Structure formats: structure tokens, C-alpha cells
């Protein structure tokens, strides 16, 4: 996250240097610019332009190999040595100190700005009497060299600002994830009370009556025993699903990895064949990730309980700045209706799915027909720009 911001600032600094050098070169009369100066400044402009365009490659490389930043220092020194320490291209060289502070913090800024100050004085001595005029003034001796540490400090301050913003965003995302987890645990507690607890009470009541049926009607007792076994299996599966949903590490791992793991685990427990297509490049905020996994879990649970499906397709793909989650089954389907219709009928599952999607700025759509299966499509914000994506296909079950 911080690399993106540092890279954007690096690109902006390169563009500023390119414009300063190009405009300065354009304003100088043709007779006052030597061939060496023209070629050197042209190289500086082209290099800055390319660096601003290819910062995604250059910035990580510079961070990995800090010594490479000396190349920019050398280019700045040559500009001063040829154009003069008090020449019109002085301002184009101070960007190097800003880059040092932006990329490497205080230590990098101090090293690079110190080298630039030393290079400035060397260039000053070499060019001081070039035109037979004494250029040793307060501005040239002390004023100009101060530009380097001052601009370098601006680069350090910009980096610290980016780091603080990232820390605040991470803290906010964690707080949102914690709030979502608390809300989800409350929901699971309600489900445990409404579903699992009722199932266990039914098992307990049937088991209490079983000795009487054994004495009065052995055939009825056998049927009751089979019912108790079936109910126990259902309770075990419900408890396992609830425990899976209570896992706290799901939202801390990459969404594609966690989603694929959840789908594979569900395929094993349900016995339904699942085809999973996941864009491994997708990343979303923690709170969005939490809701995606919750929506997936609820939809797959409904498929297992009601759809009587033989196969399911789960897709998580990027579509511009959104992530699209699609869950399709070949089950028996149902007659569609409005959310109000389902709410009045006591079917709050679809209502809850819509609320989950809307809670994180997404949108959920459901399409189904009797005998034609059901498709649930969710569009959610990714909050990141697209990169080269890679899809992975798998057959599970």
C-alpha cells in the first residue's frame, strides 16, 4: 500500500524535474546554451520522463538496491559541472535530495543531500572563474547548497505522511473487521440458539421417550432410534459449520486463498462437486473480505439444505474496480419474488444476504427458476487497481 503512494510521489517528482529542466532550457536564448549543456539536459529530461512512466519497476528496484540512487546524484553533479553551480539548471538537481528522503527516510536523505552539497562545492570551484567573474556571493556559497537538505527534508516529511496514513487505514480496517466479527458472532449465537439448540432439544426429547417405545412398540422404537441418529448427524454438521464460521484467521489471509479453502471444505462435507474459478490478484478491505466469506458460507449452506444440487460453480473474478462473486448451482431452484415477499413468508436468508452486500457498498442479485437452478451474483468494491491477473481452475468433490 505504501509503495503505491511513494511510487506516485516519485513519479510526480520526476515530472516536476522534467518540466523544470525543459522549461528552463526553452527560455534560454539559443546562443547561450552549449552543445554539451543541451545534450545533457535533454538526457535529464528523457530520463525523468521514463522514470515517471516506469516507476512501478524503478521504485521497488531502488528500494532493493539503494546504491543505484547514486546514478541520479552523478547525473545531477554533471549538470552542475557543465552548466555551472549558479546556472539555470540548479533547481533541476534538488529533486535528487527529495527522492532520497522519499525512498530512504532520514538516513538516505542525509547521505544523498550531503553528497550533493559536496558535489555542489566541487562544481562551484570548477566553474567559479569560468567567465572571469567572481561568483563567490552569500547566495552561491551558502544559499544554494541549503536547497538540498531542505528539499530532502520535504521528501522525508512526505514519506512520514504516507506511513501515518497507512497506519491509520490499517487501524480503521482492523476496527471495522473487529466490529464485523462481533456482529457475526452475535448472529452465530442466534443461529446456534434457533437451529442447533432446537435440534439438540429434539434429540433429547426423542431419546427420553425411546425406552417407553422399546417396551411398547419395538418397531416404533427402531424408527425413533433412526430418527435420533439422523438428527444427531444434522446437529453435528450444524455445529461443525458454526465452528468453521467462528474461525478468526479467515479475514487476515488473502481472500482468494481463504475462499478456495472454504469451497473445498464445503465440497468435502456436502459431497457436492464444485468448480472454483478464482482471480488470484483480487484484494479487498478486511470488512469487505469478511462479508464476502459470510455470503459464500450462507449461500453454500442454503444449497446443501434446499437445492438438491449435483454441482456448483463458484467464481471470484475482477471486473474493473469491482470484484464479482458468482455462485451457481444446478438444483431445483425456486419461484422468485421481492424481498418483502420473502420477509413476510419468514424467509430472511435472502434479505440478510442483500444487507451484507449493501453494508460494504456492494450489490447482490439472485436469479432462479424451478428446475433450472439458482445463481447468486455479488458485486463488491476492491479498492485497488487492476494488475495482471491469473485464474486458477479446480474440480473439487
Amino acid at each position: 500500500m505504501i509503495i503505491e503512494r511513494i511510487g506516485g510521489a516519485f513519479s510526480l517528482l520526476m515530472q516536476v524535474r522534467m518540466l523544470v529542466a525543459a522549461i528552463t532550457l526553452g527560455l534560454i536564448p539559443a546562443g547561450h546554451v552549449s552543445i554539451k549543456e543541451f545534450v545533457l539536459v535533454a538526457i535529464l529530461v528523457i530520463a525523468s520522463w521514463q522514470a515517471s512512466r516506469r516507476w512501478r519497476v524503478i521504485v521497488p528496484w531502488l528500494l532493493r538496491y539503494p546504491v543505484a540512487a547514486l546514478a541520479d546524484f552523478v547525473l545531477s553533479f554533471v549538470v552542475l559541472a557543465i552548466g555551472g553551480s549558479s546556472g539555470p539548471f540548479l533547481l533541476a538537481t534538488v529533486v535528487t535530495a527529495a527522492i532520497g528522503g522519499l525512498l530512504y527516510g532520514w538516513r538516505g536523505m542525509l547521505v544523498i543531500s550531503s553528497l550533493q552539497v559536496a558535489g555542489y562545492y566541487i562544481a562551484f570551484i570548477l566553474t567559479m572563474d569560468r567567465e572571469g567573474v567572481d561568483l563567490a556571493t552569500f547566495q552561491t556559497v551558502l544559499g544554494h547548497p541549503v536547497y538540498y537538505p531542505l528539499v530532502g527534508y520535504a521528501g522525508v516529511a512526505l514519506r512520514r505522511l504516507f506511513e501515518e496514513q497507512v497506519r491509520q487505514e490499517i487501524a480503521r480496517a482492523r476496527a471495522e473487521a473487529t466490529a464485523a466479527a462481533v456482529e457475526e458472532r452475535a448472529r452465530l449465537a442466534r443461529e446456534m440458539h434457533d437451529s442447533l439448540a432446537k435440534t439438540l432439544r429434539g434429540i433429547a426429547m426423542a431419546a427420553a421417550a425411546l425406552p417407553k417405545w422399546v417396551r411398547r412398540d419395538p418397531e416404533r422404537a427402531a424408527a425413533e432410534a433412526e430418527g435420533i441418529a439422523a438428527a444427531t448427524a444434522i446437529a453435528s454438521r450444524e455445529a461443525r459449520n458454526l465452528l468453521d464460521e467462528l474461525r478468526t484467521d479467515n479475514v487476515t489471509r488473502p481472500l482468494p486463498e481463504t475462499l478456495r479453502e472454504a469451497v473445498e471444505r464445503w465440497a468435502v462435507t456436502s459431497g457436492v462437486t464444485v468448480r472454483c474459478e478464482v482471480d488470484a490478484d483480487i484484494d479487498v478491505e478486511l470488512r469487505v473480505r469478511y462479508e464476502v466469506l459470510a455470503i459464500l458460507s450462507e449461500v453454500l449452506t442454503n444449497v446443501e439444505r434446499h437445492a438438491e444440487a449435483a454441482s456448483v460453480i463458484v467464481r471470484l473474478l475482477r471486473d474493473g474496480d469491482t470484484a464479482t462473486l458468482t455462485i451457481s448451482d444446478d438444483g431445483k431452484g425456486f419461484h422468485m419474488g421481492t424481498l418483502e415477499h420473502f420477509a413476510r413468508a419468514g424467509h430472511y436468508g435472502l434479505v440478510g444476504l442483500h444487507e451484507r452486500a449493501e453494508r460494504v457498498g456492494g450489490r447482490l442479485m439472485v436469479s432462479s427458476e424451478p428446475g433450472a437452478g439458482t445463481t447468486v451474483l455479488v458485486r463488491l468494491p476492491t479498492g485497488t487497481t487492476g494488475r495482471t491477473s491469473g485464474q486458477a481452475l479446480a474440480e473439487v468433490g
Side-chain angles (χ1 to χ4, degrees):
M1 186 181 296
I2 192 172
I3 295 297
E4 295 283 329
R5 302 187 182 193
I6 290 177
F10 174 86
S11 177
L12 179 61
L13 288 173
M14 289 294 102
Q15 294 176 36
V16 168
R17 183 165 71 179
M18 176 185 68
L19 292 174
V20 168
I23 292 173
T24 303
L25 184 63
L27 292 177
I28 299 175
H32 293 74
V33 179
S34 67
I35 297 297
K36 288 183 179 180
E37 288 179 331
F38 180 83
V39 172
L40 184 61
V41 174
I43 293 174
L44 182 67
V45 170
I46 294 173
S48 300
W49 174 58
Q50 289 294 322
S52 69
R53 294 180 63 239
R54 304 178 184 276
W55 65 265
R56 287 184 174 84
V57 176
I58 294 175
V59 168
W61 190 70
L62 288 174
L63 290 173
R64 188 177 305 166
Y65 305 106
V67 70
L70 293 178
D72 200 74
F73 157 72
V74 172
L75 182 60
S76 299
F77 173 75
V78 174
V79 169
L80 290 179
I82 294 178
S85 59
S86 299
F89 304 110
L90 171 68
L91 293 179
T93 67
V94 301
V95 174
T96 301
I99 292 173
L102 178 67
L103 295 181
Y104 309 118
W106 277 108
R107 292 183 179 179
M109 183 275 290
L110 291 174
V111 171
I112 291 177
S113 62
S114 298
L115 289 174
Q116 285 197 283
V117 170
Y120 171 87
Y121 282 120
I122 294 173
F124 176 76
I125 293 172
L126 294 175
T127 61
M128 183 171 59
D129 296 324
R130 176 181 296 173
E131 300 179 359
V133 179
D134 186 6
L135 300 178
T137 65
F138 175 83
Q139 183 66 22
T140 58
V141 174
L142 295 177
H144 289 169
V146 172
Y147 290 157
Y148 297 111
L150 287 179
V151 175
Y153 172 77
V156 174
L158 189 59
R159 179 187 177 92
R160 294 176 66 182
L161 177 63
F162 289 153
E163 291 174 344
E164 181 62 26
Q165 288 178 341
V166 170
R167 282 194 293 268
Q168 290 179 357
E169 290 183 3
I170 292 175
R172 177 179 58 82
R174 287 177 177 171
E176 291 174 347
T178 300
V182 170
E183 183 178 343
E184 184 66 6
R185 281 178 170 80
R187 182 189 69 82
L188 291 175
R190 291 193 300 269
E191 288 190 3
M192 188 175 294
H193 177 270
D194 296 339
S195 178
L196 181 59
K198 289 181 179 179
T199 302
L200 293 175
R201 282 197 298 271
I203 293 173
M205 294 175 62
L210 187 59
K212 297 180 180 179
W213 289 116
V214 169
R215 291 191 298 269
R216 297 181 181 179
D217 188 345
E219 293 183 1
R220 175 67 181 273
E224 290 291 330
E226 292 178 358
I228 292 173
T232 303
I234 294 174
S236 175
R237 184 168 62 250
E238 291 176 347
R240 185 170 57 250
N241 291 339
L242 290 171
L243 290 174
D244 288 340
E245 293 185 49
L246 282 170
R247 293 182 59 178
T248 58
D249 64 331
N250 282 345
V251 296
T252 63
R253 294 185 293 148
L255 178 60
E257 173 189 336
T258 309
L259 184 139
R260 179 177 294 281
E261 180 181 298
V263 170
E264 292 176 350
R265 187 169 57 247
W266 180 83
V268 171
T269 58
S270 66
V272 178
T273 299
V274 181
R275 184 182 181 210
C276 189
E277 302 180 18
V278 177
D279 188 336
D281 186 53
I282 289 179
D283 191 18
V284 296
E285 296 180 3
L286 287 177
R287 62 192 185 96
V288 179
R289 191 181 310 170
Y290 196 93
E291 298 298 346
V292 169
L293 295 173
I295 290 172
L296 174 71
S297 177
E298 290 189 36
V299 172
L300 292 180
T301 298
N302 289 335
V303 170
E304 182 180 2
R305 290 178 178 176
H306 310 297
E308 299 178 6
S311 64
V312 174
I313 299 176
V314 177
R315 294 186 177 94
L316 179 66
L317 305 177
R318 178 184 293 279
D319 183 11
D321 292 334
T322 63
T324 302
L325 173 65
T326 308
I327 308 168
S328 303
D329 67 71
D330 60 357
K332 60 184 182 180
F334 58 89
H335 290 285
M336 290 294 298
T338 64
L339 290 180
E340 292 77 8
H341 168 77
F342 287 110
R344 286 195 300 268
H347 304 297
Y348 296 102
L350 285 177
V351 178
L353 291 176
H354 278 274
E355 290 176 348
R356 284 189 178 280
E358 292 175 354
R359 191 178 301 154
V360 291
R363 182 183 179 189
L364 184 140
M365 293 169 283
V366 180
S367 60
S368 183
E369 292 182 8
T374 302
T375 297
V376 177
L377 186 146
V378 191
R379 295 188 184 276
L380 297 158
T382 61
T384 58
T385 56
R387 301 188 298 272
T388 303
S389 63
Q391 293 184 10
L393 308 182
E395 290 288 343
V396 185

